[in-house]
Amino acid sequence: MAGEGKFRIDRVACQIVTEQRLTPEEIAELPPHVRNDPRYHHSIERTPAGSSNAITPLAVDFANEVLVDVLYAAEDLVGQTAHSAKLVISGTGWSEVSVPMSTLVGKVEGEGRRLGAVAANDSQWVQVHAASLVAATVLQRNLADQVRDIEAWAKQDIQILIPPDADVRQVRPNMQANGLSANLADRMDLPTNQRDGINALSRSSFTEQLE
């Protein structure tokens, strides 16, 4: 590696790259938005084939990948500094490859409220923070209680929509064809401003995809 002594090569590795086509079963498990895209119908595997300390030559076959680990030597920072180097990769039968490298090193000067409070010996901020944690805990518990209440209402609505002895395969096409009836909306005690949206959702094919 040419350049300043701040950079050094730690390791050079070679890995074999193989590409395999997915099976029909694996393609069927892909997310819907990529399932029909041939670009996603294969997998790439990388198998380590050898490594070197950058002094001992490393054998690399055609189409193999070469990985180079470059380390940067830290320093005691005084102001802002910049360093540069060039990584040169060469070998028998290879075209030489040069990779320029550079770093810009600086220090962010700043501190959080906690550090500021500690430096100022400000116990009031610590008390405020503790009170916020207590309030957050209470809020979480209240939300948990609300979720449990909503769960009970949701189960009740589901029972109204689909009785326990009903065949879901027959109920869904009926809802998609007829939408949300006024009678059913009344039984669910559904607010007026939500009925049009639930009716449109019932008639759509989106809910069918979710099932």
Side-chain angles (χ1 to χ4, degrees):
M1 173 172 286
E4 303 177 30
K6 294 295 182 181
F7 300 88
R8 70 177 179 86
I9 299 176
D10 182 59
R11 185 180 71 107
V12 179
C14 171
Q15 56 187 16
I16 301 171
V17 181
T18 56
E19 182 175 327
Q20 293 183 346
R21 182 171 177 78
L22 299 181
T23 65
E25 292 77 14
E26 292 172 330
I27 293 176
E29 294 177 357
L30 292 174
H33 64 285
V34 300
R35 191 174 301 153
N36 297 322
D37 191 335
R39 293 177 300 172
Y40 297 93
H41 292 178
H42 63 275
S43 64
I44 297 178
E45 296 183 2
R46 292 173 169 84
T47 305
S51 62
S52 168
N53 58 2
I55 298 176
T56 305
L58 178 65
V60 179
D61 289 337
F62 178 75
N64 286 359
E65 285 187 348
V66 176
L67 305 178
V68 181
D69 293 337
V70 179
L71 299 183
Y72 169 76
E75 60 186 305
D76 293 333
L77 182 65
V78 179
Q80 180 174 295
T81 59
H83 302 285
S84 61
K86 180 185 293 184
L87 173 64
V88 180
I89 304 174
S90 62
T92 304
W94 283 44
S95 297
E96 188 174 278
V97 177
S98 298
V99 182
M101 308 180 67
S102 63
T103 61
L104 178 62
V105 185
K107 180 180 179 181
V108 177
E109 302 229 347
E111 56 183 5
R113 291 186 300 168
R114 184 187 67 81
L115 296 178
V118 172
N121 195 23
D122 186 355
S123 60
Q124 181 179 358
W125 185 88
V126 177
Q127 294 174 359
V128 170
H129 182 60
S132 297
L133 290 177
V134 172
T137 302
V138 173
L139 177 60
Q140 288 178 342
R141 291 175 178 171
N142 290 339
L143 288 175
D145 292 337
Q146 293 178 27
V147 168
R148 281 191 287 270
D149 292 341
I150 294 173
E151 179 184 9
W153 283 104
K155 289 181 178 178
Q156 178 179 336
D157 289 345
I158 291 174
Q159 291 175 352
I160 293 175
L161 282 167
I162 305 176
D165 57 344
D167 186 348
V168 177
R169 291 172 298 181
Q170 297 178 0
V171 173
R172 177 67 193 114
N174 181 61
M175 290 189 65
Q176 193 169 10
N178 302 317
L180 179 70
S181 66
N183 180 43
L184 184 57
D186 291 338
R187 288 164 57 196
M188 293 175 61
D189 196 21
L190 195 65
T192 303
N193 61 352
Q194 297 180 10
R195 297 192 178 194
D196 289 343
I198 298 298
N199 177 54
L201 183 61
S202 300
R203 295 176 180 272
S204 72
S205 60
F206 177 71
T207 51
E208 194 172 61
Q209 296 173 9
L210 293 179
E211 297 168 357

